[in-house]
């Protein structure tokens, strides 16, 4: 059967640390609140209407909600650390974890504005996808985003994910907006091509940043 897969459910996912220059993804902790407030302050990211990011007055609660969901094995949240500076610059997570179906979503991703459109996001996605497919043996990995977030939609497609459809009025946002959610995915059979695509992008980025040779 060309689409056969193991039916053994995953055990609950354990907190892990993933690392590749220039980032480290480590488990989120309550003590990260002050540093993440400073990261979110770079761009005042909590003011974006189509994302859910803790701000100066709400970061502690945002982290507590993530840790409560982790205790229920529903999410696995990470802090994104910038290795050269040693400071947190954002957050990402596995969520919508379906242990029986061996699939999950990568989302709730944000970075300080000065690190956006850099090698950081590509590296994070490569780490998370590699762990999901190569270590966990995922069947599929999803990405979801607000239809208003055109930059995110383009970035997900640029990773090599495919557009699956739209969940209409999928979420009620904090301001009452009825969010239509765009859904994308990468299947296990598509992962080798996506991995090569991401590695090639990182190689181009490294070349563009390399000092000129005399």
């Amino acid at each position: 059967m060309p689409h056969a897969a193991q039916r053994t459910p995953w055990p609950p996912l354990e907190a892990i640390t993933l690392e590749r220059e220039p980032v480290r993804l480590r488990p989120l902790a309550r003590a990260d609140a002050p540093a993440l407030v400073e990261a979110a302050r770079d761009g005042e990211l909590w003011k974006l209407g189509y994302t859910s990011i803790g701000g100066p007055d709400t970061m502690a609660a945002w982290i507590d909600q993530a840790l409560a969901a982790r205790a229920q094995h529903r999410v696995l949240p990470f802090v994104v650390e910038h290795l050269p500076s040693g400071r947190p610059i954002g957050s990402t997570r596995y969520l919508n974890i379906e242990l029986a179906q061996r699939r999950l979503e990568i989302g709730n991703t944000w970075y300080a504005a000065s690190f956006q459109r850099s090698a950081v996001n590509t590296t994070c996605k490569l780490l998370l996808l590699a762990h999901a497919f190569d270590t966990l043996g995922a069947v599929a990995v999803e990405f979801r985003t607000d239809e208003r977030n055109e930059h995110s939609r383009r970035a997900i497609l640029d990773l090599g994910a495919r557009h699956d459809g739209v969940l209409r009025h999928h979420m009620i946002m904090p301001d009452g907006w009825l969010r239509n959610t765009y859904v994308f995915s990468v299947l296990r059979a598509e992962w080798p091509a996506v991995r090569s695509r991401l590695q090639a992008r990182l190689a181009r980025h490294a070349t563009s940043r390399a000092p000129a040779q005399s």
Side-chain angles (χ1 to χ4, degrees):
M1 294 187 296
H3 299 297
Q6 295 182 17
R7 291 187 58 84
T8 306
W10 281 333
L13 302 190
E14 298 291 335
I16 53 167
T17 297
L18 305 171
E19 183 174 321
R20 175 176 173 149
E21 287 286 348
V23 299
R24 176 189 294 119
L25 304 182
R26 61 164 177 78
L28 178 68
R30 286 186 176 88
D32 292 312
L36 288 180
V37 167
E38 290 308 306
R41 200 183 302 278
D42 181 1
E44 297 186 323
L45 303 180
W46 60 87
K47 293 183 177 180
L48 299 175
Y50 45 74
T51 58
S52 177
I53 299 171
D57 300 324
T58 59
M59 185 64 75
W62 184 86
I63 291 176
D64 283 343
Q65 290 171 0
L67 297 183
R70 183 175 72 186
Q72 297 169 0
H73 308 297
R74 295 190 291 113
V75 307
L76 202 57
F78 299 89
V79 167
V80 181
E81 285 187 345
H82 182 239
L83 287 172
S85 66
R87 63 188 178 92
I89 59 169
S91 183
T92 188
R93 68 185 66 175
Y94 289 137
L95 67 159
N96 289 326
I97 299 169
E98 298 183 33
L99 300 177
Q101 302 303 324
R102 304 171 72 90
R103 63 185 293 136
L104 47 73
E105 178 190 345
I106 295 172
N108 282 177
T109 300
W110 61 269
Y111 311 107
S114 56
F115 288 92
Q116 295 172 13
R117 297 175 178 82
S118 70
V120 165
N121 184 56
T122 301
T123 306
C124 288
K125 293 301 188 291
L126 183 58
L127 286 169
L128 292 167
L129 285 165
H131 183 72
F133 285 117
D134 299 338
T135 300
L136 300 177
V139 170
V141 174
E142 283 188 7
F143 300 88
R144 299 184 180 190
T145 191
D146 191 311
E147 71 170 344
R148 296 171 294 172
N149 194 343
E150 295 184 12
H151 172 72
S152 178
R153 285 160 48 192
R154 290 194 301 269
I156 293 169
L157 288 171
D158 200 36
L159 293 173
R162 299 193 183 185
H163 183 212
D164 294 330
V166 181
L167 300 175
R168 298 184 300 161
H169 289 187
H170 175 235
M171 297 174 63
I172 303 174
M173 301 303 286
D175 63 358
W177 177 266
L178 291 173
R179 166 178 150 164
N180 294 329
T181 298
Y182 274 57
V183 182
F184 306 81
S185 66
V186 176
L187 305 183
R188 181 187 297 172
E190 298 164 349
W191 164 232
V194 171
R195 178 175 52 207
S196 296
R197 185 187 186 106
L198 296 177
Q199 290 172 334
R201 182 188 297 176
L202 289 176
R204 290 194 301 270
H205 184 83
T207 299
S208 68
R209 293 178 61 87
Q213 299 296 317
S214 57

